[in-house]
């Protein structure tokens, strides 16, 4: 297994960023992420009076970070509900086994 990294360039907000990635899967992820960021930048520039790319990039960062946090909160909530159901089933089984 080679530890050699792939060199790629991604363009975000009109700037090129050279990156090193481990494999083609990571490359695909980076390119999709850059495309998503550029799409969101375009939407913000069309819908809001934003003069500074820094502001647009900050709004993009907040949007993507909030999506991660919301997904994390949802996952914890789902896990909590699943554990409650498992505990209820365990109690039901225990009562039938006694």
């Amino acid at each position: 297994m080679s530890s050699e990294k792939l060199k790629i360039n991604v363009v975000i907000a009109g700037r090129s960023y050279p990156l090193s990635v481990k494999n083609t899967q990571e490359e695909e992820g980076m390119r999709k992420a850059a495309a998503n960021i550029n799409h969101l930048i375009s939407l913000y520039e069309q819908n809001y009076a934003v003069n500074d790319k820094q502001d647009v990039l900050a709004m993009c960062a907040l949007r993507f970070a909030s999506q991660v946090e919301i997904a994390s909160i949802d996952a914890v909530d789902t896990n909590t509900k699943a554990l409650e159901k498992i505990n209820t089933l365990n109690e039901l089984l225990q009562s039938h086994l006694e």
Side-chain angles (χ1 to χ4, degrees):
M1 184 175 193
S2 175
S3 63
E4 194 170 320
K5 294 189 175 205
L6 302 169
K7 305 280 188 205
I8 66 168
N9 281 305
V10 296
V11 177
I12 299 173
R15 287 191 180 182
S16 182
Y17 295 92
L19 301 170
S20 295
V21 295
K22 298 176 199 169
N23 52 46
T24 55
Q25 184 179 8
E26 188 175 356
E27 176 185 5
E28 182 181 356
M30 289 288 187
R31 292 194 187 282
K32 283 183 176 181
N36 288 337
I37 292 167
N38 287 322
H39 177 70
L40 194 55
I41 287 170
S42 177
L43 289 176
Y44 282 142
E45 288 177 335
Q46 290 171 13
N47 294 311
Y48 300 100
V50 182
N51 297 326
D52 188 359
K53 285 278 190 210
Q54 180 77 28
D55 292 335
V56 176
L57 290 170
M59 290 166 62
C60 288
L62 178 61
R63 171 81 175 264
F64 289 121
S66 68
Q67 288 173 341
V68 169
E69 292 303 321
I70 290 166
S72 176
I73 290 166
D74 287 346
V76 168
D77 187 44
T78 299
N79 288 343
T80 301
K81 287 178 182 175
L83 284 173
E84 288 171 357
K85 287 179 181 180
I86 289 170
N87 286 334
T88 301
L89 286 172
N90 274 338
E91 290 170 9
L92 186 60
L93 282 171
Q94 282 296 96
S95 69
H96 281 13
L97 291 174
E98 293 175 350

